[in-house]
Every structure is written in C-alpha cells, then in structure tokens.
C-alpha cells in the first residue's frame, strides 16, 4: 500500500507539493486549539532535526548517534546571544552557522573513523556538550538554564503563540527541505551518496572523501542548529536536560522509522513518532512501553522505514551477499577494505 | 500473514488511541484540577508520589462533600520531566475551560517552560517542588509550596551548621541542578557572613554513584562538618562511602532530603547522627500527619517524602481557595485568593505566600538517633 | 599519598567498569552487533539479586549465580528480538531495536519494581584493610578479585573448552565457522547469554557496592561499558578490562585535579581523544 | 552419493546458477571447471547451504539437504574447504585443526591428537608452525591449513574450492597427489579448479560451467582432449 | 612513445603474506598493457598500489613524470588515472546515469552554494554531466538502462557501466581489473574491440586478466606475475613461449 501511495506521489509530484504546501499554510485556520497546534509545531521541529540527521546518516552513510549535541549548540547559541540583544531572526541563521562550525570540528577527528567508532565519537561529543552546558555556569546558566528567551516579532504579532510560531517553523522546514533537495541533486549530493554506497569506488573517481564528509557534517549540523535555535524561543526556557542522549536516539528513531536516505522519510518519521507518543498518552505509565514496541515492530516489519524504497533492504542484503561471494572468491588477492 | 495481522493490530490500536484521546466526559457540578507530573522518565518516582498524594487529597475532599457541593476531579498528565511535553500539557490544560488550576510540575525546568503559557491564560500553576529562585516570581499566577532556598540555605549555614552542630570548617557537596545550585549558593553566602569557613565545594551530576574520589579530595581540606545538599538516594550512598573510608571525625548535615524515611531504611547504622533541616516533622502526636503518612505509604508502596507531602498540601490549598470563592470561581480569582490566604496549615506546616508567590517557611532540625528521626529543635530555635 | 589514594579509588571504580566491559566485549565479539540494551541487562541483574536477597537471604555468591542466570535469560529475549533476525541485515536495524528494547526494559522495570531507589544488604560488614591512611574495603577487594577471576576464567573457557573454541571461531568468521559445522545461530545465542550473564554479575556488584538499585541505573553504566569495550579494541576481553580500569582511574584523577561534576566529561574526552589518536582503540590491531 | 537437480541461484537480479544438475558417485573425484563468475563457487556454497537457493534440490545419500542448516550438513559428512583464506586468523594452527572436528561431540582427545599428527605428516610445514596464529601464515600455508582442517573431520565428501590458489607448483602437485591418496582411503572429492589441466588429470569426471550453466561433461580424459574445452576455456 | 606510468621496485605485504615483491613496470603512452598471472599472484594488490588504494611497503610509482606514491586515491584519480574494480564496485542504489555523473565529479566546478541558488555554474555543470553522461552511455550501448538502479543490472552490463564511469574521468590511463570476468565469449569479444577503439582514441590502458586468449589478442605488451614476482614481460609471442609462464599458469605437466 505504501508503495502505491509513493507511486501516486511520484507521478503527480508538483500537484502534491503545491497542494501540500497550501494545506500546511491553511492549517492554523482549521485548528483552533493551541495545544494541537503546539504538537504540530513540535512535529515540525523534529522534521528539521530528523532531516538534518538524515543528511548525515542517510545520504553519506556516516553514523551519527549524538545529534542532540548539535541541537543543544543551536539552542544555546540563540539563547545566549539573544540575551545580548541580537535580533532573533538573524540568530536563527547565526546559530546554524555556529553549529556548522562545531560540526566541522567534530568531523575532523571522525574523518578517519568508520562505523562503530564514529558512532561512539558522536555519542561522546553529545554527552560532552551536555555536560559542558551543565557545568559552564557563567555562559550557559549551568543547571539554572536560560529563561526568558525573547520571541521574534513577526508582522507585529507576538509570535510564540503556536498559531503564529507555526509559520516561522514552517518557513524553515520548507527552506530546509528545499535546500536539502537542491544539494542532494547536485555534484555535492552525488558525492555524498557515492561515499555512502562505496567509498573506495568514490575515491577512485576523484571524490575527496574528507572534504565531502566534512561538508556533509556541516550541512547536517547547520540544520540541527537551526532546529535547536527554533525551539528555544518557542519554549522560552532551555537547560541541558532537554538535550540528553535519549533525545538524540529519539531523533534517530524518527529517521529510521521514516526511512533513511529519502527526503520524505524523516518527515513521515517525525509525524508518526510524535503522534504515537501523543495518542498513547492515555496509557499513562505504559506509554513509553508502547513506543518501544512500535520501534521494535517497525524494525521487524519494515526495516527500510515507512517511506524507504520497498525491498531495498532485502535487495541490499542479496546484493551485499553476492558481493560477499565475489569478495570471498577474491579474498586471496584483494584486501582493499 | 503474520505481518498483515500485525499491521492491522497496530493500525487498530492507533485508531482506538485517537478516539480514546477525543473522548470527553461532560458532567455538571464537577471541579477539575490539572496535575502535571513526570509519571515516566527519570523522575518517575516523584511523579508517582504526586499522583498518589494529589488523589488522596481529592478523595478526602470529595468524601467530605466536595467543594461547595461539587466533586473535584483530577486530570493527570505525564510530562516525562521533558519541557517540550510539559508545554503541550500546559496548552491542553489552559484550553480546557473546565480545568481551573494546575498542580505541578516536579522539575523547575518544566515549570519555567510552562509559566508563560499559564500566565497568558491567567491560570494558577502551583508547584509542590519547583525551587528555582526565579520561578515563582515569573508571574502572579505561579506559586511554589516548597519554600525558597534563600530561606533554608541561610538557616542551614547559621543554625544547623554553626549553632547546632558547632561547625567551624565546613565542606559542601551539592547536586548540580537548579535546586542544588541555589541552595548551596545561599548556604555559602550566609556562611561567609557569619564567618564559617568553607573548605571545599564540590558538585555531582544526577545519577552519580561513586563519591570516593570527591570525598577523598574533600577530606584533604580537613573539614569538621560536611554539608550535603541533595536528595535521599545520594545522601545514603555518600554516608556509606564516608564510613567505608574510615572518616569518623566528621559531622554530616543535610539540606534537601528532609526527614525521608528512606534514609533510615537504606542507610542503617551508616546514617546515624545525620542532622537535617526540615520544614515539617511527622511527630507521633500530630495524628493528622501520621494518618496521612500511613495512608500514603500504603497507597504508594514507598515511604513519604517531602515532595509528596507538598503535593498534598498544594492540592488542599487550591481546593480551599476555590471553596473560599464560592460561586464566583474564575481562574484569575484563584490566584488572588491564594495570594491572600493567610490561614492555611497543611501537613508541612503553615503556608503563607509571599508577594512573589513563594512560601516563607520556618525550619526545624531533625537528627537520626537510634535509627529514627528525632525532632531536635522547634520553630523558635531561630529566635 | 593523596595521589595514591585517588589512584586506588580509580582502580576500584574502574574494576566495575572493567567487569561490565568484559560482558559487552563477549556480546560484541560473538554477535558482532552494537547493543544499547546492555545497561538494562545490568539493571535486571541488579534487581534479580535484590529480590533474591529478600526471598532467600543474604548470600552474595548464590545471588551472583542467580543474577547471571536471570540476566542470561533476559539476554535470550534480547537475542530473539534484536539480533537473530538481523545478523545479516545492515547494522543500524538491530541497533535501533536495542534502543527500543532498552526503553522497553527500563519502563517495564519502573512499572514492575517501582521507580524509587532500593537498598542492598551490606556484605563483609564494611571491613577493610588499612595501608597507611588508605583503606580498601573487603568488598572492593572482592570486586577486584571477582573481575580478575572472571577474566581469567573466561579466557580459560574461551581457550580451552570446545564451546569456547566455537565462540572464538564464530567471533572471527561466521562463514568459516558454519563451514566447519558450527551452528552459528545457537553459538551467537550462547555468546550473547554469557555476555549478558556477566553484565548481570556486574550489575549485582554495582548494586551491592553502591548500595542502590534503580530502574535508571543502567543508562550511564551501559555507556561506560560500551566506551571501555571500544577503547579496548572491539571485543578484546583483556583489552576491555584494562580500558575499564583506565577510564576509572582517569575519572578519579580528573576529579582530584578539577571538579567532581566533570567526571563524565573526562571519560568521554578521553574516549574521543584516544579514538582520534588510535582509531582502532587502545588494544585493537590496525586493519580490524 | 550426491545429486543436484535443477539448481537455480540468484544474487539479487544477477543469476549465478541457471538450473544445473549433476551427480557424484561414491569414491570419485569430480571436478567443476569454468572461468571466473561461471558459478563454481556458488555451486559449492549451495551444497553447504550458505546461499539462498531460488529453486532446485540437493540430495546427499538419500537425505534432502537443500534446506538443512549448514552445520547439520557438515555433520552428515560434507566438508567444505573454501577458497581464499577462510581460516581462523586468531586461532593457532593446532586450534584451527581441532576446530575441524568440532561436530564430533565425543571424540576422545587422543583421537583428535592422532588426527592432528596425521595432518602434520601430510603437511610438515604446518607442524613447524603449530603454535603460530593462523593469520601469520603465508598464503600457501593458509591454504594447506584450510585443506587439513577440512580433512580433520574424515568427511565422506570433501569439497575443495581452488586448492591450488596461490600455491607454488610443487605444493600444488603434492596436494593433487594427496587427493589421489585420500580417494584411495575411500573419500569422495568435489574439486573446483582453475588450473583445468591439472584438475582434469586427477578427476574421474568433470563438468564445465559457463555463465551458470553446465555446457559440457564427461570423464577427465575426454574433457582434457576435447578441443572445445581447450578453445573455450583455456583460451588456446 | 613516452613513459606514462612506471613502478619501481614495488612491494606489498599483508602480515606474513608477500602479495607483491619488487615489481618494476613501465607503461608507455597509447599502449594496451596486460598483467596476467594465476589467482593470488598479486595482480590486484599491485593495481591497488598503483591507484593509491593501498600503500606499498616499498618502492615508488611515477606517473606522467611525477611521483605519486603516498598520494590519496582521489588525488591520483584527479591526475588522470581511472580504474575499474575486480568485483564491480558500482553505486548500487543509484541509477546508471547517476553512476556515470559521479564519474564527471572532477570536471564539475559546482560547490554547495552554487547548488543552493542554482547559479550559472551549477546549470552548466548539470547540463554537461547530463549530456555527456548520456552520450557516454550511448557509446557503450547503455542508453536504455540510464534510469535503472545499477545494482539491478546484469553482470556484463554492470561491467560496462563501471567502464563508462571510469571513462567519464577522461583519464590519461585506464586500469581495468578483470574486465572480462563473467562475460560470455561474445560479450568478451565486444569488450575487446571496445578497448581497442579506446586505445585508438588515445587512451592508455592496463588490463588485468587471466583469460589468456583475451589478453593475447588484445595487449601490446604483457607482464606476468606469479607469487607477487614478475616472472616475464614482453609482447604476447614472448609470453606464449615462455616456459616459466606455462608452468605457472597451466601446471608443470602441460604445454601448449
């Protein structure tokens, strides 16, 4: 069924996109309740965060499990500078740039690493960031957090009401997806994907792996930073407990449940995950149990994610196997990897 | 086939969830109060306490005929200790016109993130435990029952440490969260004023278990008193590790855990002699408090702590304010009524809000003697 | 003297990390997948001992065995849910499964056992040995001894027994193992159970040493075990044990030099630095 | 003894075997020859059930083994010596040999030891390095070790995948002589070889594979003298 | 005929295995140079050393008058050495056209900002890769498969895509690792012809192969490796009659 929906979508892409955007713009007029709107705004935050993680994990095949660290940097950058009186609109971008620079610094050591080692470094980075935010009281307020983060003004409206802030986030969501789309359909995006598919082949074609991995990390970090920066004025208060490893795992689950390596995947993932946790609120204590079961059953039923290419994993597996056979056939001579 | 069934079951359960979420009970003559608490997540223990304590308060009120003939109903929502979820809950509460006020949340993080939303809706949020110094002052609708640390901190430094145990050189270990930071800052401030030497100040992140390095380090500075600003669990672990180190000549005082029974239960002989400040004491002659304590422990399955007692008081206070207003109950009016209430005495003692919305509390000193908390001073000790 | 004292503190704490890391190393070595459920296995082991003490009295040694068995049984469930199906699939799938499983176990424990901290009985009456002003508790010595004994036993088991040989074979080359007639499925299951059982034992010692059992106790413990295992060179048992001790020592010396709130910062900075300098871990061989 | 019928194997969209059938009699040496990618290795992997079969049946001594677990197949007495260097690199040479007998549960230590000694007489080079780790051996030694490991089981059917790979001619000759001796001991051998001349010389019968199909079959002599084989396969 | 690629005394070891030992080789401009040898002779290892995928334990590689040992594979590729892989390393989840477009990577000047705002440079690059990519596919008879996922193609087709991808680099020298493996005789003959046309267009080509017939018909000069050592080098006729080669390749007892 999902595949049929996908086909319908690809066949009428433009219509769907325009209709979808129109619906998104009209949404606040249809929904009266601020609480529902607030959940929608949260979903949009996660669309940005999951998409940015997808850029790193899904398109260049690196494995970042400490995404919360980047989100933290974005949120704190905005919160700190906003208290110095910088305009919020500018800060959204500044926060993104600062995070991208940190992303570059993280990418530096990780360029040499793969797989599990890379994952561990990002995990360590995320925890270091959280602990620094907790301990560097002079800058971050330490455990007191930063409160009273000002909200941007927007056509004369105080924008942190969910109905208004929605448009700001939606704007960035559209920009995020649009820029991701453009980059992915260019030399840069192709280079990322070539690294994901087979880095040795990519190297032999002159793709500078280090350069493109760094760009990839920076691009992903940029949007994670923007996402974090968007959250700060909406919640008006941030402290380090909002950016734990679990938060990073949460974003990761969204990407994978939605489908890695597709633009729609993270969008679907964040919608599904956030709605599920919301819907199962009545389950009280067992709420997270339900969420856990959802994650595991997704991996059993549709490991490629809801929006992932059908059979891709299975195909991937058999292609990998055939490669293994060939590799083992040649393993006497060939030890490139 | 299995796959299909699973898909169907999953989507059905999703659907049921949607409808269950939409269901609403419309009953006349009901007063609704929201409760936001971390039922899951790392603070689930305290959220559970909130749940039981608030429900006990409401059951009692309803058994006594409700508020002006109307029964009270609680709407409990799980914030997971997550500011994002807390704001969503706040929006849900403020949008439901039947909900008059909210008891919650546990952590200052959640309370402070939700404060603007409640303020906008002119709705009272009365937090049993939030002790961030800025929280209650955020608006006239924010109240905290726990009491601000700028009262307890100085009390601990001046009366508990200097006067009661006779400390001359003190070291401080505090839990690195908003509460711990403000509590220990106030201790340090007063200690400097009264000339109590502080030899070392160390902190730790929530969940820490191994304090040997910290203690070894502090011991180097030769304090005669160790002031522990933390909750019961770390307090017990630290006292055990102190004994294990063979560090006998140090007096331990505590701020934060109050007279938690858990300390005695878990600590055994190792916590003997620990002195603490507490706003209240369940003394055997206070029958109301004793009955409450027994009932709570029976319902919750764990011993009463200060946080749950505060949640109980917060609920009762709210109910009293609503009762006082009679038929003119509005959200806005509740805030004014609470600020003006001067005669409330709860389990945790008399509660009178300051202009800020905090409580100025008076403190007692209790000490563990023969595996029991014993009240050592009364409220007049300060004078 | 002070330095020495802190060093001993570090070794004591590090020995618990070491024990946790050994279990993780066995799991990673044999199954070949990263797990984030390990912390919850540790927690389960700890709880099993807590209830064992209530039901059958305070016998630490029997509790260790009971904890091993319980944790191994939980390991079977984890294996069936998170690994078995995904041995050939891309790694991230089982990783996400273990994240889900961790969430599941943690919340299940909260519902079943309650979220408040529980205490453990005291063993060896708090006796200690004094070396100058330094005191080393019997319990600490026992923990260090248990770590050493288990490391040795495990090494012997892997080196000398047929099952051990199977485990080593599977951890090196699953295909070749199948070719010599080893049932890879069963062997990975057994390996996972042994690793989880060791995790359970570590959990009990952790609970007894710090006198506390909590549903959330697994989180940081699992991370430290994971870190020590990677530092030790992915699946190397002795390497993991040594790395565990190193992490403990670095943390404690770090606290001695700066502030105690920065403990985990030291652990993770050490990790990132070492991986930067030696991408294959402290004791890993290049090209693995 | 072993019968393969209409075996089809696809790797994703690539078909590796397009329906091959062959038969092996007791105490024969059978060889499969063919170029790279012709499907020789895949055939062996299918017998050991290490690849997923799309269709086809494999019967060994009357038992259908096409869906059996790989370890059970080994237990039936089919030893597979993979090509390349599929030995356990971190185990010592001796351990590598011992692990070859792992399916025989109650084999006495003495018996294992004597079989090891037997292998060391066959491959004296391994004896010198018995305590060394498998990874430290040279390519040829690793190949010998893999063969020895397969023979430790005393299998009914020994499948050798390119045993001459990377070996010096003298050792290759030794191995082929060895095969004859083993055959006289009652073992059946299925041999995959690129060195077609050599393989066909020792083989009783042979099959020529091309692009996943059997294009020719016959006795070793016949194939050796078949001009088609020479032309198509040997490229002369 | 100038020397294009030269290896001096190259050695490569893996642990105890000496994969390549002291190999010298010179390849002139415009040649088709063959490297043959039995399985495990060290051909691919030698190849990987030439392209920077492996670092040698000893010796130097010179290309176009410059030393290239120690350079990264990407840098070597940029200097004009393109290669294919023995086991076909295509980007399986990308379409054939995308595969070839990545081949044009070093000729594209787009950076991330060009991609974001679709500058002239981006549009030109996209047009260039699209046009030239399609043309290249047409040349290799792959036009129909432009939008197929590379992983879904048949074996022979995948080989061709890989060669197309390597050609997109417009390399000075093309290294083909067993290009004919898995091809049927007709495909092989076509491939052989195709490689010759490439040579006629001025490409220098090195081919690894153990299909003797293929190599003998195709190559101008041949080097034979066995046990990592060079045992013979020369024109096909020399190779054919060399005794050591025959022994290495067909076993001691056989002759042609």
């Amino acid at each position: 069924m999902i595949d049929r929906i996908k086909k319908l979508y690809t066949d009428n892409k433009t219509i769907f996109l325009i209709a979808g955007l129109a619906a998104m713009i009209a949404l606040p007029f249809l929904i009266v309740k601020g609480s529902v709107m607030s959940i929608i705004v949260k979903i949009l935050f996660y669309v940005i965060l999951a998409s940015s993680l997808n850029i790193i994990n899904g398109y260049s095949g690196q494995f970042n499990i400490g995404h919360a660290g980047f989100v933290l940097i974005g949120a704190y950058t905005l919160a700190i500078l906003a208290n110095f009186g910088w305009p919020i609109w500018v800060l959204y971008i500044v926060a993104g740039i600062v995070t991208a620079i940190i992303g570059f610094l993280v990418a530096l050591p990780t360029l040499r690493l793969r797989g599990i080692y890379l994952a561990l470094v990002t995990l360590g980075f995320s925890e270091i960031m959280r602990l620094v935010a907790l301990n560097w009281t002079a800058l971050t307020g330490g455990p007191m957090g930063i409160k009273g983060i000002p909200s941007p003004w927007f056509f004369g409206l105080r924008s942190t009401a969910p109905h208004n802030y929605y448009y700001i986030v939606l704007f960035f969501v559209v920009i995020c997806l649009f820029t991701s789309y453009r980059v992915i359909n260019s030399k840069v995006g192709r280079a990322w994907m070539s690294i994901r598919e087979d880095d040795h082949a990519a190297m032999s074609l002159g793709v500078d792996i280090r350069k493109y991995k760094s760009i990839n990390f920076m691009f992903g970090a940029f949007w994670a930073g923007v996402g974090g920066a968007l959250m700060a004025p909406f919640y008006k208060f941030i402290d380090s407990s909002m950016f734990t490893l679990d938060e990073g795992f949460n974003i990761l689950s969204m990407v994978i449940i939605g489908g890695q390596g597709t633009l729609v995947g993270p969008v679907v993932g964040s919608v599904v995950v956030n709605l599920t946790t919301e819907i199962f609120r009545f389950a009280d204590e067992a709420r997270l149990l339900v969420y856990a079961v959802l994650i595991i059953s997704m991996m059993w039923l549709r490991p490629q994610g809801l929006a992932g290419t059908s059979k891709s994993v299975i195909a991937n597996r058999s292609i990998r196997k055939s490669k293994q056979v060939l590799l083992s056939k040649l393993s006497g001579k060939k030890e490139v990897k | 086939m299995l796959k299909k069934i699973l898909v169907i079951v999953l989507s059905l359960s999703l659907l049921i969830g949607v409808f269950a979420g939409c269901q609403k009970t419309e009953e006349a003559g009901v007063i609704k109060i929201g409760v936001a608490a971390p039922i899951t997540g790392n603070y689930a223990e305290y959220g559970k306490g909130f749940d039981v304590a608030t429900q006990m308060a409401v059951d009692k009120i309803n058994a006594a005929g409700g508020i002006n003939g109307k029964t009270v109903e609680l709407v409990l929502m799980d914030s997971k200790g997550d500011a994002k979820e807390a704001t969503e809950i706040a929006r849900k509460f403020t949008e439901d016109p039947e909900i008059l006020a909210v008891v919650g949340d546990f952590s200052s993080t959640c309370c402070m993130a939700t404060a603007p939303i409640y303020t906008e809706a002119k709705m009272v949020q009365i937090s049993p435990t939030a002790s961030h110094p800025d929280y209650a002052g955020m608006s006239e609708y924010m109240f905290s029952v726990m009491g601000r640390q700028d009262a307890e901190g100085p009390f601990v430094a001046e009366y508990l440490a200097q006067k009661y145990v006779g400390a001359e050189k003190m070291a401080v270990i505090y839990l690195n969260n908003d509460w711990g930071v403000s509590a220990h800052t106030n201790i340090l401030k007063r200690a400097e004023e009264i000339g109590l030497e502080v030899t070392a100040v160390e902190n730790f992140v929530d969940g820490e278990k191994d304090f040997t390095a910290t203690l070894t380090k502090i011991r180097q500075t030769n304090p005669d008193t160790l002031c522990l600003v933390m909750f019961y669990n770390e307090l017990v672990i630290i006292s055990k590790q102190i004994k294990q180190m063979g560090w006998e000549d140090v007096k331990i005082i505590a701020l934060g855990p109050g007279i938690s029974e858990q300390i005695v239960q878990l600590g055994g002989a190792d916590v003997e002699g620990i002195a603490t400040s507490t706003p209240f004491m369940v003394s055997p002659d206070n029958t109301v408090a004793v009955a409450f304590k027994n009932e709570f422990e029976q319902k919750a399955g764990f011993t009463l702590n200060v946080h749950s007692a505060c949640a109980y008081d917060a609920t009762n206070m709210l109910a009293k304010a609503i009762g006082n207003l009679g038929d003119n109950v509005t959200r806005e009016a509740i805030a004014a009524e609470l600020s003006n209430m001067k005669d409330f005495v709860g389990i945790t003692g008399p509660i009178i809000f300051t202009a800020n919305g905090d409580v100025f509390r008076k403190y007692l000193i209790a000490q563990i003697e023969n595996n029991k908390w014993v009240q050592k001073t009364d409220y007049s000790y300060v004078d | 003297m002070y330095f020495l004292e802190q060093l001993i503190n570090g070794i004591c704490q590090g020995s618990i990390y070491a024990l946790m890391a050994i279990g993780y190393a066995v799991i990673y070595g044999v199954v070949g997948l990263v797990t984030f459920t390990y912390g919850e296995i540790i927690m389960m082991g700890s709880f099993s001992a807590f209830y064992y003490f209530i039901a059958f009295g305070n016998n630490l040694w029997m509790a260790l065995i009971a904890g091993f068995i319980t944790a191994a049984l939980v390991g079977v469930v984890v294996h069936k849910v998170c690994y078995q199906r995904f041995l050939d699939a891309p790694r991230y799938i089982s990783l996400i499964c273990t994240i889900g499983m961790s969430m599941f176990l943690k919340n299940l424990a909260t519902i079943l056992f309650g979220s408040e901290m529980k205490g453990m009985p005291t063993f060896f009456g708090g006796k200690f040995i004094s070396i100058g002003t330094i005191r080393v508790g019997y319990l600490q010595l026992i923990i260090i001894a248990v770590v050493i004994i288990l490391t040795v036993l495990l090494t012997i088991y892997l080196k000398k027994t047929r099952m051990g040989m199977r485990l080593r074979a599977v951890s090196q080359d699953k295909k070749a193992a199948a070719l010599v007639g080893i049932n890879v499925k069963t062997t990975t299951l057994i390996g996972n159970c042994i690793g989880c059982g060791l995790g359970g034992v570590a959990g009990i010692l952790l609970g007894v040493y710090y006198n506390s059992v909590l549903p959330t106790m697994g989180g940081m413990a699992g991370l430290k075990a994971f870190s020590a295992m990677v530092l030790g060179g992915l699946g190397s048992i002795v390497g993991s044990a040594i790395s565990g001790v190193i992490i403990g020592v670095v943390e404690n010396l770090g606290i001695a030099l700066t502030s105690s709130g920065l403990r985990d910062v030291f652990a993770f900075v050490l990790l990132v630095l070492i991986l930067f300098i030696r991408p294959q871990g402290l004791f890993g061989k290049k090209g693995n | 003894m072993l019968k393969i019928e209409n075996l089809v194997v696809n790797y994703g969209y690539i078909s590796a075997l397009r329906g091959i059938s062959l038969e092996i009699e007791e105490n024969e040496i059978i060889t499969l020859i063919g170029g790279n990618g012709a499907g020789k290795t895949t055939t062996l992997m299918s017998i050991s059930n290490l690849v997923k079969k799309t269709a086809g049946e494999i019967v060994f001594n009357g038992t259908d083994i096409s869906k059996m677990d790989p370890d059970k197949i080994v237990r039936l007495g089919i030893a597979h010596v993979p090509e390349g260097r599929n030995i356990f690199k971190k185990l010592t040479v001796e351990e590598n040999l011992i692990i070859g007998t792992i399916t025989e549960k109650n084999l006495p230590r003495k018996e294992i030891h004597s079989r090891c000694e037997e292998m060391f007489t066959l491959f004296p080079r391994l004896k010198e390095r018995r305590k060394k780790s498998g990874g430290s051996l040279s390519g040829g030694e690793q190949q010998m070790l893999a063969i020895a490991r397969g023979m430790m089981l005393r299998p009914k059917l020994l499948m050798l995948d390119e045993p001459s790979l990377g070996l010096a001619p003298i050792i290759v000759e030794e191995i082929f002589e060895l095969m004859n001796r083993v055959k006289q001991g009652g073992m059946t051998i299925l041999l995959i070889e690129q060195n077609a001349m050599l393989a066909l010389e020792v083989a009783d019968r042979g099959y020529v594979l091309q692009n996943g199909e059997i294009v020719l079959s016959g006795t070793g002599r016949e194939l050796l003298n078949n001009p088609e084989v020479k032309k198509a396969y040997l490229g002369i | 005929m100038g020397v294009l690629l030269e290896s001096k005394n190259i050695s490569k070891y893996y642990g105890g295995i000496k994969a390549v030992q002291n190999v010298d080789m010179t390849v002139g401009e415009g040649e088709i140079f063959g490297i043959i040898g039995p399985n495990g002779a060290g051909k691919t290892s030698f190849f990987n050393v030439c392209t920077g995928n492996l670092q040698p334990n000893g010796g130097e590689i010179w290309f176009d008058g410059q030393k290239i040992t120690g350079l990264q594979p990407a840098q070597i590729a940029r200097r004009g050495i393109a290669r294919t892989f023995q086991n076909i390393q295509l980007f399986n989840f990308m379409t054939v056209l995308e595969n070839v477009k990545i081949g044009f990577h070093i000729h594209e000047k787009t950076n991330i900002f060009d991609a974001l705002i679709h500058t002239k440079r981006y549009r030109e690059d996209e047009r260039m890769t699209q046009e030239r990519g399609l043309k290249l596919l047409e040349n290799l008879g792959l036009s129909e498969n432009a939008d197929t996922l590379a992983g879904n193609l048949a074996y022979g087709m995948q080989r061709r895509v890989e060669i197309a991808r390597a050609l997109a680099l417009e390399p000075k020298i093309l290294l083909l690792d067993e290009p004919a493996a898995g091809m049927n005789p007709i495909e092989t003959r076509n491939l052989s012809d195709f490689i010759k046309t490439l040579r006629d267009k001025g490409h220098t080509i090195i081919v690894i192969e153990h299909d003797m017939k293929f190599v003998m018909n195709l190559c101008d000069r041949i080097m034979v490796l066995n046990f990592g050592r060079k045992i013979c080098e020369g024109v096909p006729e020399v190779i054919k009659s060399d005794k050591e080669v025959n022994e290495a390749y067909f076993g001691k007892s056989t002759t042609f």
Side-chain angles (χ1 to χ4, degrees), chain B residues 39-46 48 173 176 201-205 208-214 216-220 232-234 236-237 240-241 243-248 262 266 270 301-302, chain C residues 2 5-6 9 12-13 106-107 110 115-120 122 126-128 133 135-140 209-212 214 216-217 251-252 254-264:
Chain B
I39 302 297
T40 58
N42 286 344
Y43 298 114
E45 173 181 4
Y46 299 104
K48 191 86 200 304
I173 307 178
N176 197 6
V201 181
E202 291 289 332
N203 66 32
F204 62 91
V205 181
E208 181 64 86
K209 295 260 166 54
D210 193 313
F211 297 93
T212 48
T214 316
T216 308
K217 190 177 173 190
I218 287 178
R219 197 181 180 182
Q220 289 294 109
Y232 76 91
N233 29 17
E234 284 94 3
V236 171
I237 295 173
K240 288 199 172 240
Q241 289 177 3
K243 288 287 174 307
Q244 182 65 44
M245 286 171 70
W247 190 8
E248 307 291 352
Q262 280 107 325
L266 296 170
D270 294 331
F302 51 88
Chain C
Y2 170 60
E5 214 168 326
Q6 289 290 29
N9 288 338
C12 289
Q13 196 184 11
K106 189 156 61 184
N107 284 284
T110 312
S115 48
E116 71 280 3
M117 183 175 111
K118 295 184 169 62
M120 286 278 208
T122 314
K127 290 197 196 99
F128 52 84
T133 55
R135 285 206 203 185
V136 183
Y138 273 24
L139 186 61
Q140 288 176 327
Y209 186 52
Y210 297 128
N211 214 279
S212 67
L214 272 167
T216 51
M217 70 191 280
E251 280 184 11
N252 281 267
I255 289 173
L257 292 175
T258 59
S259 158
S260 48
L262 296 175
R263 172 193 288 277
D264 297 331

Side-chain angles (χ1 to χ4, degrees), chain E residues 159-222:
Chain E
R159 282 268 172 225
R160 255 191 267 177
V161 176
E162 211 188 10
I163 294 174
R165 194 179 67 180
L167 283 175
L169 259 84
E170 291 167 5
K172 289 181 191 146
I173 190 164
L174 183 62
L175 278 66
L176 304 173
D177 197 346
E178 304 212 359
M183 286 189 173
N184 62 36
I186 301 160
E187 281 177 323
T188 310
R189 203 178 316 124
N190 290 343
L191 181 71
S192 181
D193 293 342
F194 174 68
I195 293 173
K196 277 180 187 157
T197 60
L198 288 181
R199 191 249 323 258
D200 297 342
K201 282 180 192 159
H203 290 281
T204 310
I205 294 157
I206 304 184
V207 183
I208 288 184
E209 192 49 71
H210 56 233
D211 182 340
M212 281 287 254
K213 186 175 153 193
F214 180 77
V215 177
M216 294 295 172
N217 292 341
L218 179 65
C219 297
D220 301 321
R221 280 193 314 131
I222 295 170

Side-chain angles (χ1 to χ4, degrees), chain A:
Chain A
M1 190 180 78
I2 292 159
D3 300 321
R4 249 178 285 158
I5 295 173
K6 272 186 68 180
K7 192 171 179 306
L8 195 69
Y9 168 74
T10 36
D11 291 348
N12 309 294
K13 214 170 186 172
T14 339
I15 301 170
F16 265 91
L17 281 179
I18 292 169
L21 198 61
M24 290 302 279
I25 289 171
L27 200 60
F29 296 100
L30 305 173
I31 292 170
V32 186
K33 281 193 170 181
S35 57
V36 178
M37 230 30 237
S38 160
I39 293 166
I40 293 170
V41 171
K42 184 169 93 170
I43 292 174
L44 290 188
F45 288 144
Y46 279 110
V47 168
I48 295 185
L49 299 183
S51 299
S52 62
L53 182 60
N54 181 40
I55 290 288
I56 299 175
N57 287 10
Y59 281 101
S60 80
Q62 311 190 70
F63 202 60
N64 173 8
I65 53 178
H67 209 51
F70 292 128
V71 185
L72 178 146
I73 293 170
Y76 268 98
T77 308
L78 181 129
I80 290 165
L81 293 179
N83 285 345
F84 286 115
W86 291 43
I88 304 289
W89 284 97
V90 177
L91 279 178
Y92 287 138
I93 308 300
V94 172
I97 293 169
V98 170
T99 317
I101 293 168
I102 304 279
F104 176 69
L105 295 179
V106 178
L108 277 184
T110 54
L111 289 178
R112 298 172 60 188
L113 305 169
R114 306 156 148 263
I116 176 175
Y117 292 108
L118 173 67
L120 192 56
V121 167
T122 57
L123 183 149
F125 157 77
S126 170
E127 278 294 272
I128 292 171
M129 283 301 131
R130 182 177 72 82
L131 292 164
V132 166
L134 182 63
N135 282 292
W136 194 352
T137 315
L139 185 71
T140 62
M144 313 296 270
I146 299 177
K147 72 174 171 80
I149 298 162
S151 35
W153 286 81
F154 163 70
F155 299 128
L157 289 166
R158 198 184 61 75
S159 56
T160 34
H163 281 84
N164 301 333
Y165 204 72
Y166 170 82
Y167 286 108
I168 297 180
V169 187
L170 183 65
F171 171 73
F172 279 101
V173 167
V174 171
I175 300 280
C176 172
L177 293 178
F178 179 71
T179 50
S180 304
Y181 176 80
R182 283 207 154 174
V183 173
I184 282 156
N185 286 294
S186 77
K187 174 192 178 188
V188 181
R190 285 194 294 268
W192 290 345
M193 284 186 271
S194 71
I195 296 169
R196 172 191 74 191
E197 297 286 308
D198 190 326
D199 52 353
H200 278 96
M203 271 191 270
S204 76
L205 295 171
V207 178
D208 186 341
I209 306 256
R210 284 160 177 262
K211 179 177 155 194
Y212 283 95
K213 275 189 177 176
S214 328
I215 294 180
N216 180 267
F217 241 96
M218 287 173 75
F219 191 78
F222 176 85
W223 281 112
V226 173
L230 280 167
M231 286 163 105
F234 186 65
Y235 296 117
K236 292 201 159 305
F237 175 83
I238 54 165
D239 72 0
S240 62
S241 71
M242 293 165 78
F243 308 99
T244 54
L245 268 188
D246 286 346
E247 179 70 11
F249 288 167
N250 203 14
I251 302 172
L252 184 65
S253 317
M254 290 177 199
V255 174
I256 289 173
I257 285 177
Q260 286 198 90
T262 57
L263 272 179
V264 211
V267 182
V268 176
S270 37
V271 173
V272 168
V273 167
N274 282 303
L275 281 187
T276 326
T277 43
E278 205 51 48
I279 284 165
F280 281 95
R281 203 168 265 292
F282 70 92
D284 280 350
E285 285 176 319
R287 186 156 69 106
L288 293 183
L289 281 186
V290 176
Y291 179 38
V293 172
L294 172 85
I295 291 177
I296 296 173
S297 39
M298 267 304 300
M299 290 300 101
W300 275 67
L301 298 177
R302 215 180 148 82
Q304 73 273 34
L306 287 169
T309 321
S310 158
K311 290 189 184 116
S312 69
V313 170
I314 299 131
N316 185 13
R317 213 189 291 174
S318 43
I319 284 170
R320 262 173 11 118
K321 268 199 178 159
S322 75
K323 265 194 161 178
Q324 271 168 13
V325 173
L326 283 162
L327 269 176
S328 69
K329 199 172 171 53
L330 310 159
S331 61
K333 307 172 277 180
K334 188 197 161 287
E335 306 227 356
V336 177
K337 281 201 174 174

